[in-house]
Amino acid sequence: MATLGNRRNGGNARKRLWCAIPVSCAVLIIISFTFIFNLGYKHRAVTPEVMITPMASPSMGSPPPPLVVDRCSGRYIYVHDLPGRFNSDMISSCRTLSKWTDMCPFVSNAGLGPRLNNAEGVFYGAEWYATNQFALELIFHNRMKQYECLTTNSSLASAIFVPFYAGLDIGRYLWGYNTSVRDATSRDLIRWLKSRPEWSTMGGRDHFMVAGRITWDFRRLTDDEDDWGSKLLVIPEGKNMTVLVIESSPWHKNDFGIPYPTYFHPSKDSEVQQWQERMRRIRRPWLFSFAGAPRPNITDSIRNEIIGQCRQSRRCKLLECDKGRSKCHSPSSVMGMFQRSIFCLQPQGDSYTRRSTFDAMVAGCVPVFFHPGSAYAQYVWHLPRNHSEYSVLISEDEVRDGKVRIEEVLERFGKKDVMAMREEVIRMIPRLVYADPRTRLETTNDAFDVTVEGVIQRVKDIKGGRVPDFSEQESWKYALTGRGGEHEWDHFFNRTTQ
């Protein structure tokens, strides 16, 4: 009986053991899965650092401490926390920002302005806004808030951002105010910056800011009341900083041109790619087009000649901007014309550059320039150095003197050449637009990313002593070197325009 009982007890024990094994395994699997999941979740949340632990062999005993790879090394940016009078207070008082335009609608949506509808079928998706060309400071600042490598430790920073809305500030005082008023906020900013320990490290040479107007609005040379603009970029402290403007000076080395804001502000990589494909497939019945008005007060302007030649051609589409309620103020009308054109004419406006250039390229239209100052001596971080890859240059002197017909010049380009230029323009679109500042693109570098890379490299070169200390004359020569040889473009520029 005892033997039989033992056998039964042994059998029951074995049954219990066999039943316990799967349960133990299941518990082990659940614990392991939970650990791995939590580890992975933590690693996804850790930015900008990724921890790598070397494998340990049995003979090593305890594994060594994890190695830390800093993905933001060399890319950190410190942002000054400026008093509100230098930025946010201006937005709160948006009705005072312009004498001619109510800027309040344009500072909405983080600086993008009102959303555009697609009633005419010109736009694709919901990432289109009626963006004002002078809203870049607000867009850039809000975009900086999404930058992945911000730091609160200025000693780690590769560059220091100053979120001063210089363009919005001077826009309030350009007409009807004396020089003291025009300079007041800028001088107040300099005093504030010089009181900070971050400034003393390099005297401001590692600082950068966005002044979202053309450089000439900040380069007043005298204190004459009739002289234009402020002195922000000519005072010593202003010269030390890297200043990003929508049009830079060919004669100075501290300001850099970055793209005008356009109407397109994607929030996803797919939106950029879909728009590029759309621009590749769209039918373009017009050989060339022009949107603009004459400049009768500018004696050297060739706009009358351009408008005249366009009117005489059956292959040109003209959008005149000076007659009644012009469609030039309609984003869908302008973008619709550019999308249906192969070449878009971009002569000088009130200054060298035009926002229209970037609207046209976003529409996949090959820009035609008449002066190298309109692009080639401007956007050195965003446009190819070989300008013939994406654009055409026709001398404005030859147009003015009646030596060339624009249509005849453009007709000489073969189909393969035109396709290659258009493809280059379409390929460039991501680096010419500013993504929605409320989001962050995953893999696509936009105009903001390209700009930040350029600034960081410039500060690195300054720290390494690799930025040449050009005199004004040498800066002039350096900026105007064309592909055809040294000083190829000198004759285009007039030194008196500095």
Side-chain angles (χ1 to χ4, degrees):
M1 293 296 292
T3 302
L4 180 60
N6 290 338
R7 287 176 181 171
R8 288 175 177 172
N9 290 339
N12 291 336
R14 281 193 297 271
K15 289 179 181 179
R16 287 194 296 272
L17 179 61
W18 284 108
C19 290
I21 289 174
V23 174
S24 302
C25 290
V27 171
L28 219 63
I29 291 171
I30 292 172
I31 292 173
S32 300
F33 178 81
T34 304
F35 174 77
I36 292 170
F37 176 82
N38 287 336
L39 183 63
Y41 179 81
K42 289 177 181 177
H43 277 206
R44 285 197 299 274
V46 172
T47 55
E49 297 177 351
V50 175
M51 292 185 291
I52 303 175
T53 304
M55 295 294 293
S57 66
S59 61
M60 290 173 59
S62 300
L67 300 175
V68 178
V69 179
D70 189 350
R71 294 185 302 189
C72 285
S73 178
R75 299 172 56 220
Y76 282 112
I77 289 181
Y78 176 87
V79 180
H80 273 301
D81 185 14
L82 297 182
R85 65 183 179 277
F86 297 118
N87 44 47
S88 59
D89 290 354
M90 298 183 203
I91 304 305
S92 301
S93 304
C94 54
R95 294 191 185 281
T96 68
L97 292 177
S98 173
K99 182 178 180 179
W100 318 107
T101 305
D102 179 7
M103 289 292 291
C104 291
F106 297 107
V107 300
S108 63
N109 291 316
L112 303 185
R115 191 183 295 273
L116 292 171
N117 63 52
N118 194 24
E120 299 180 36
V122 172
F123 308 118
Y124 181 82
E127 56 277 2
W128 294 85
Y129 297 82
T131 304
N132 187 278
Q133 67 174 354
F134 298 130
L136 182 55
E137 295 148 345
L138 182 55
I139 296 171
F140 200 96
H141 185 195
N142 285 321
R143 184 81 169 77
M144 182 63 76
K145 295 174 183 177
Q146 299 289 336
Y147 183 63
E148 62 179 346
C149 295
L150 295 178
T151 180
T152 57
N153 184 353
S154 62
S155 65
L156 293 177
S158 295
I160 296 177
F161 180 53
V162 182
F164 171 44
Y165 298 167
L168 295 180
D169 170 60
I170 192 59
R172 300 180 291 184
Y173 308 124
L174 282 173
W175 294 271
Y177 290 87
N178 62 35
T179 56
S180 297
V181 173
R182 283 181 261 158
D183 292 341
T185 315
S186 296
R187 293 193 180 280
D188 195 13
L189 171 77
I190 296 302
R191 283 191 291 270
W192 188 92
L193 289 173
K194 290 175 69 175
S195 72
R196 303 290 302 175
E198 295 82 13
W199 182 271
S200 61
T201 303
M202 292 184 64
R205 292 192 299 278
D206 55 352
H207 285 49
F208 72 104
M209 60 179 290
V210 177
R213 298 181 69 97
I214 65 173
T215 189
W216 314 111
D217 291 339
F218 311 99
R219 290 192 176 279
R220 195 184 76 247
L221 298 178
T222 74
D223 288 328
D224 294 341
E225 299 299 337
D226 293 335
D227 206 353
W228 180 260
S230 77
K231 281 190 169 182
L232 176 62
L233 298 188
V234 299
I235 58 179
E237 295 84 358
K239 287 182 177 181
N240 279 359
M241 291 189 285
T242 298
V243 182
L244 311 171
V245 288
I246 53 179
E247 175 179 317
S248 63
S249 164
W251 300 281
H252 303 89
K253 64 183 186 298
N254 66 316
D255 60 345
F256 286 80
I258 63 176
Y260 283 73
T262 66
Y263 303 117
F264 184 42
H265 303 282
S267 58
K268 300 176 183 176
D269 292 351
S270 59
E271 293 170 349
V272 181
Q273 296 157 6
Q274 289 167 3
W275 179 254
Q276 288 175 294
E277 285 304 311
R278 184 180 173 89
M279 291 304 96
R280 287 187 178 100
R281 297 193 306 267
I282 199 166
R283 181 175 171 269
R284 299 179 184 268
W286 302 106
L287 175 64
F288 62 111
S289 63
F290 175 62
R295 288 291 189 273
N297 296 327
I298 302 178
T299 56
D300 290 337
S301 176
I302 60 169
R303 291 205 175 191
N304 282 334
E305 286 83 358
I306 286 176
I307 291 172
Q309 289 194 29
C310 189
R311 283 177 179 161
Q312 295 170 12
S313 172
R314 295 181 178 180
R315 306 185 68 185
C316 182
K317 178 67 174 176
L318 179 63
L319 194 61
E320 296 187 72
C321 301
D322 64 335
K323 294 189 175 181
R325 192 171 180 177
S326 171
K327 288 187 176 181
C328 287
H329 299 293
S330 165
S332 59
S333 297
V334 173
M335 293 298 291
M337 183 184 74
F338 289 158
Q339 289 175 30
R340 295 190 294 272
S341 304
I342 296 173
F343 296 100
C344 293
L345 308 186
Q346 302 297 341
Q348 296 186 70
D350 295 324
S351 62
Y352 288 133
T353 65
R354 306 177 72 204
R355 177 220 172 111
S356 173
T357 296
F358 295 95
D359 288 334
M361 288 194 285
V362 168
C365 188
V366 177
V368 179
F369 299 115
F370 300 86
H371 193 292
S374 295
Y376 308 152
Q378 295 288 339
Y379 310 103
V380 295
W381 294 334
H382 297 79
L383 300 180
R385 290 187 180 275
N386 184 351
H387 57 82
S388 62
E389 291 180 355
Y390 72 94
S391 68
V392 176
L393 178 64
I394 300 175
S395 170
E396 62 180 10
D397 292 335
E398 294 184 347
V399 174
R400 188 182 298 110
D401 296 340
K403 295 180 179 179
V404 300
R405 299 289 300 173
I406 296 171
E407 182 174 354
E408 293 176 358
V409 173
L410 300 180
E411 284 178 332
R412 294 180 196 141
F413 289 94
K415 186 175 181 180
K416 288 185 178 180
D417 293 331
V418 171
M419 291 291 290
M421 283 189 288
R422 186 161 73 235
E423 178 57 31
E424 181 64 16
V425 169
I426 293 172
R427 187 191 64 80
M428 289 159 47
I429 289 176
R431 59 195 295 117
L432 303 180
V433 300
Y434 298 92
D436 190 322
R438 296 162 294 188
T439 61
R440 186 191 301 166
L441 300 181
E442 295 177 2
T443 60
T444 303
N445 284 348
D446 70 340
F448 170 89
D449 294 316
V450 174
T451 300
V452 169
E453 288 176 5
V455 168
I456 289 175
Q457 183 59 52
R458 172 172 162 76
V459 174
K460 186 182 299 184
D461 290 343
I462 291 173
K463 291 179 179 179
R466 293 186 294 275
V467 173
D469 186 18
F470 294 118
S471 68
E472 292 302 304
Q473 180 67 20
E474 287 169 332
S475 293
W476 152 265
K477 293 176 181 177
Y478 177 77
L480 301 180
T481 300
R483 288 191 72 250
E486 194 75 15
H487 319 314
E488 175 190 3
W489 299 328
D490 280 7
H491 67 281
F492 280 96
F493 290 84
N494 185 341
R495 291 285 294 175
T496 63
T497 62
Q498 292 185 66

